[in-house]
Amino acid sequence: QVQLVESGGGLVQAGGSLRLSCAASGRTFSNYAMGWFRQAPGKEREFVAAISPRAGITNYADSVKGRFTISRDNTKITLYLQMNSLKPEDTAVYYCAAAWGLAPITQTSYQYWGQGTQVTVSS
């Protein structure tokens, strides 16, 4: 069992930056691939980024490539998402999730989910 708690969301102007964190419980964090997903109002939840258990592999959605960076610290049992050059279309609830595997991009691959943190980007 893995419990996940996101933090770091908030209100930021377009062009600004935020760093999201996802604190995990349990000693098996380093065995899981981790991912970030987001859901905007009226839209389905979508993939943002994923990272393999030892951080050797990362995947990104095309919409965030070059602006967002996913990372993890297995000693701190924490996942991060550095978001730069934010746009209004990045406004969404951001979720972290844990999965077996390398760095899956499909939601169905993930077994554990956090409750989400709101990110709002004003124009």
Side-chain angles (χ1 to χ4, degrees):
Q1 189 80 9
V2 178
Q3 293 184 327
L4 305 170
V5 179
E6 302 94 337
S7 62
L11 174 64
V12 63
Q13 288 188 333
S17 298
L18 280 175
R19 188 175 82 155
L20 304 183
S21 298
C22 173
S25 65
R27 296 177 295 175
T28 59
F29 176 76
S30 60
N31 292 339
Y32 287 89
M34 298 297 297
W36 287 100
F37 292 79
R38 67 186 181 186
Q39 186 167 21
K43 295 187 177 181
E44 294 186 352
R45 190 160 56 185
E46 65 177 5
F47 169 75
V48 175
I51 189 167
S52 59
R54 297 292 186 266
I57 298 172
T58 57
N59 288 318
Y60 293 93
D62 288 343
S63 59
V64 306
K65 278 181 182 176
R67 299 189 298 124
F68 290 12
T69 302
I70 188 171
S71 63
R72 65 190 296 163
D73 186 335
N74 287 344
T75 62
K76 295 182 178 179
I77 321 178
T78 304
L79 173 73
Y80 303 100
L81 184 68
Q82 179 65 44
M83 305 186 295
N84 298 329
S85 302
L86 282 161
K87 304 175 181 180
E89 50 264 43
D90 293 319
T91 295
V93 177
Y94 283 71
Y95 300 89
C96 67
W100 290 108
L102 290 179
I105 65 173
T106 56
Q107 296 186 50
T108 55
S109 297
Y110 288 81
Q111 290 79 42
Y112 302 104
W113 293 83
Q115 293 301 305
T117 186
Q118 176 71 46
V119 172
T120 302
V121 184
S122 63
S123 58

